[in-house]
Amino acid sequence: MARKLLLEHINVPQINTLAVYREKGGYRAVEKAIKNMSPEDVVEEVKKSGLRGRGGAGFPTGMKWSFLAKPEGVPRYLVCNADESEPGTFKDRYLMTHIPHALIEGMIVSSYALGAKTSYIYVRGEMMPQIRILERAIEEAKAAGFLGKNILGSGYDLELYVQPGGGAYICGEETALLESLEGKRGNPRIKPPFPAIAGLYNCPTVVNNVESIAAVVPILNIGAEEYAKIGIERSTGTKLISASGNINKPGVYEIELGVPVEEFIYSDEYCGGIANGKRLKAVVAGGSSVPILPANLILKTAKGDNRLMTYESLADGGFATGTMLGSGGFVVFDEDQCIVRNTWNFTRFYHHESCGQCSPCREGTGWMEKVLHRLEHGHGNLSDMDLLVDVSKKIEGNTICPLGDAAAWPVASAIRHFRDEFEWHVTHGEESQTGNYGLAHYADPLEPVI
Ligand SMILES: Cc1cc2nc3c(=O)[nH]c(=O)nc-3n(C[C@H](O)[C@H](O)[C@H](O)COP(=O)(O)O)c2cc1C
């Protein structure tokens, strides 16, 4: 069994309460940090652990913390990004629902490390139950002396607030989130300056994902060196993966980074194989924003090595033959899934969610959706694939925030790997039914890489 650091006690009854969470060792990291460590020690420990941001980009957390500006007399903020709206990603919601104190404890330790006296958890607005769960957990932590004035008699004060999100995917982009938190429309800001210099209310701010912040607790409990021993290369520790699609056991799994993709899909410890005895066709490994890979390339790299669940291995081959770990939203497609229909569906989402500030994204996502719609409904023509690639290239890299890239990559990769399926729609001139159109994109685990 893989080691569990975040979900070890997930099945303990009432682990959502402070009493049971503490019985299982909860709030030891707060005591350790506040009583025995300086804020700089905590930052150093997180740096040494090799923890990388779990929100999608994988930026080293300790390094981000060390960039935080510390001008005299200016407040600093820690903001937790719990907006989680990426299609296929539901790991943060799971953690907040079942073990809210894991996040609250992480927020206290991380705020202490950064010298923040006011911190926020910005939760996707639709997640009202989770907002209530977190608010209750904050009240419990406050009553026990872990929050508020003079925490554990140390002289350190911290107020922690939960802010319901603005109800748009773009509010998960860190600078749009800060705008929204300030009460404005969630439009991304031009960077630089980065939030570490000028963030919330123009003050130095760190924005981190729920899982990144929660991971600081086990890092302090087991020590950075022990944490860094888990995983491979620059992918240290454990990672929550939300697995969905055509698998036998959809759900949230905590993996040790480095588990082979094949094992993750087929073993009973995780996804339990493809549902209904079907064959694997494709995987979106890191939430809807990352390139889709056909079965042969998700199981093995183009060099023929086993693909592993790490930042490096999933990216092996660049976008020509690789993808990204992203947010850990692992969506599995079986042989009956239509790639054109799914790509159209993702693109509809990005078009709807584009904030509209940048023309390439605002207009480009609309055009891509239109072309994909006509392809899917049998009215496309053979030049449409080149047109889509052209539009996607004109969006990529030409927008203020990465939502444009997130919209472009799924389309470009679907055409790169499944062009014949797009052509099928044109030549057959009809809407997709289920069925794999006789195209052999599925692969068995031991099938050689093409
Ligand atoms: C459109 C868009 C939506 C995003 N949504 C989220 C989100 O819901 N949660 C999250 O942690 N990061 C999200 N991100 C990434 C954040 O901008 C940021 O990189 C992240 O919160 C940093 O935290 P980390 O370093 O701990 O990963 C999103 C980015 C974009 C462009």
Side-chain angles (χ1 to χ4, degrees):
M1 276 297 258
R3 190 158 178 189
K4 304 269 182 285
L5 299 179
L6 294 172
L7 302 184
E8 188 185 356
H9 303 300
I10 190 82
N11 292 321
V12 174
Q14 301 195 328
I15 190 68
N16 59 325
T17 63
L18 180 80
V20 176
Y21 182 73
R22 287 194 74 187
E23 263 171 40
K24 293 291 168 195
Y27 285 92
R28 269 187 303 143
V30 170
E31 300 203 12
K32 181 173 176 181
I34 292 190
K35 290 185 177 164
N36 306 325
M37 296 171 81
S38 69
E40 294 75 25
D41 290 342
V42 181
V43 175
E44 219 28 61
E45 198 69 359
V46 172
K47 261 190 184 166
K48 263 201 289 181
S49 73
L51 174 68
R52 292 171 65 176
R54 304 303 197 215
F59 192 83
T61 306
M63 196 189 290
K64 186 190 267 190
W65 287 11
S66 63
F67 291 156
L68 189 70
K70 295 182 176 134
E72 276 294 307
V74 176
R76 287 166 236 156
Y77 296 104
L78 171 64
V79 178
C80 172
N81 189 343
D83 198 53
E84 199 172 56
S85 315
E86 171 100 350
T89 309
F90 46 91
K91 65 181 179 79
D92 296 340
R93 184 180 61 187
Y94 186 74
L95 190 70
M96 292 187 291
T97 307
H98 298 288
I99 324 185
H101 285 285
L103 176 59
I104 308 299
E105 183 174 13
M107 285 299 288
I108 300 168
V109 175
S110 306
S111 301
Y112 172 74
L114 299 168
K117 296 192 167 180
T118 307
S119 296
Y120 297 90
I121 307 175
Y122 183 96
V123 186
R124 177 176 175 170
E126 291 88 342
M127 293 189 202
M128 267 333 274
Q130 287 70 26
I131 290 170
R132 296 212 175 92
I133 289 168
L134 288 170
E135 281 174 343
R136 196 165 55 225
I138 287 173
E139 284 311 310
E140 282 186 304
K142 211 170 195 174
F146 292 117
L147 274 172
K149 295 257 174 253
N150 194 21
I151 297 173
L152 303 177
S154 63
Y156 174 59
D157 306 334
L158 175 64
E159 288 302 331
L160 180 55
Y161 298 99
V162 177
Q163 171 65 41
Y169 171 63
I170 194 62
C171 290
E173 194 281 333
E174 57 183 9
T175 59
L177 185 157
L178 296 175
E179 287 285 297
S180 173
L181 194 50
E182 289 179 3
K184 294 178 261 176
R185 182 190 163 104
N187 278 354
R189 297 176 181 169
I190 293 173
K191 295 184 254 187
F194 289 91
I197 309 295
L200 187 64
Y201 307 120
N202 218 21
C203 296
T205 303
V206 164
V207 182
N208 271 137
N209 173 256
V210 170
E211 187 187 345
S212 317
I213 291 171
V216 173
V217 173
I219 289 170
L220 256 64
N221 285 337
I222 67 171
E225 273 176 29
E226 189 64 25
Y227 186 89
K229 279 188 204 152
I230 304 169
I232 297 177
E233 295 178 67
R234 288 178 54 245
S235 298
T236 62
T238 65
K239 171 91 190 81
L240 299 181
I241 305 289
S242 45
S244 64
N246 307 119
I247 46 175
N248 283 316
K249 292 169 57 195
V252 176
Y253 296 99
E254 183 171 10
I255 60 160
E256 289 185 21
L257 285 166
V259 64
V261 172
E262 184 183 329
E263 183 183 333
F264 184 69
I265 297 175
Y266 289 99
S267 92
D268 279 339
E269 195 179 342
Y270 305 113
C271 303
I274 310 303
N276 305 315
K278 300 276 179 185
R279 284 186 281 197
L280 173 66
K281 180 174 184 177
V283 170
V284 169
S288 60
S289 303
V290 309
I292 188 170
L293 285 186
N296 57 338
L297 284 174
I298 191 68
L299 298 176
K300 289 196 190 294
T301 67
K303 291 178 231 150
D305 298 330
N306 281 337
R307 188 83 78 180
L308 309 177
M309 298 284 277
T310 64
Y311 293 95
E312 295 79 14
S313 179
L314 283 166
D316 191 295
F319 279 1
T321 56
T323 182
M324 291 163 76
L325 180 61
S327 60
F330 197 89
V331 188
V332 177
F333 298 85
D334 74 12
E335 59 190 294
D336 286 346
Q337 289 293 330
C338 171
I339 298 299
V340 180
R341 195 175 191 86
N342 278 288
T343 309
W344 169 46
N345 192 34
F346 281 150
T347 305
R348 218 160 30 147
F349 170 80
Y350 289 109
H351 180 215
H352 183 260
E353 297 297 331
S354 171
C355 77
Q357 271 196 114
C358 313
S359 317
C361 176
R362 183 186 64 239
E363 303 299 324
T365 52
W367 277 108
M368 290 198 305
E369 193 210 325
K370 217 172 190 166
V371 175
L372 283 161
H373 180 275
R374 74 171 175 236
L375 277 165
E376 165 58 15
H377 292 88
H379 309 302
N381 53 64
L382 287 170
S383 61
D384 278 349
M385 282 66 85
D386 289 339
L387 177 62
L388 282 169
V389 171
D390 187 47
V391 175
S392 77
K393 278 193 186 142
K394 286 181 172 132
I395 301 174
E396 187 183 351
N398 290 320
T399 52
I400 291 174
C401 91
L403 190 144
D405 303 339
W409 294 337
V411 174
S413 59
I415 294 171
R416 186 179 309 123
H417 299 300
F418 297 95
R419 186 180 272 264
D420 46 359
E421 195 164 319
F422 284 83
E423 286 169 358
W424 188 96
H425 278 260
V426 177
T427 51
H428 286 70
E430 57 189 78
E431 196 167 333
S432 69
Q433 310 294 322
T434 53
N436 66 19
Y437 321 102
L439 304 171
H441 287 300
Y442 52 80
D444 291 321
L446 300 176
E447 194 172 310
V449 174
I450 300 164

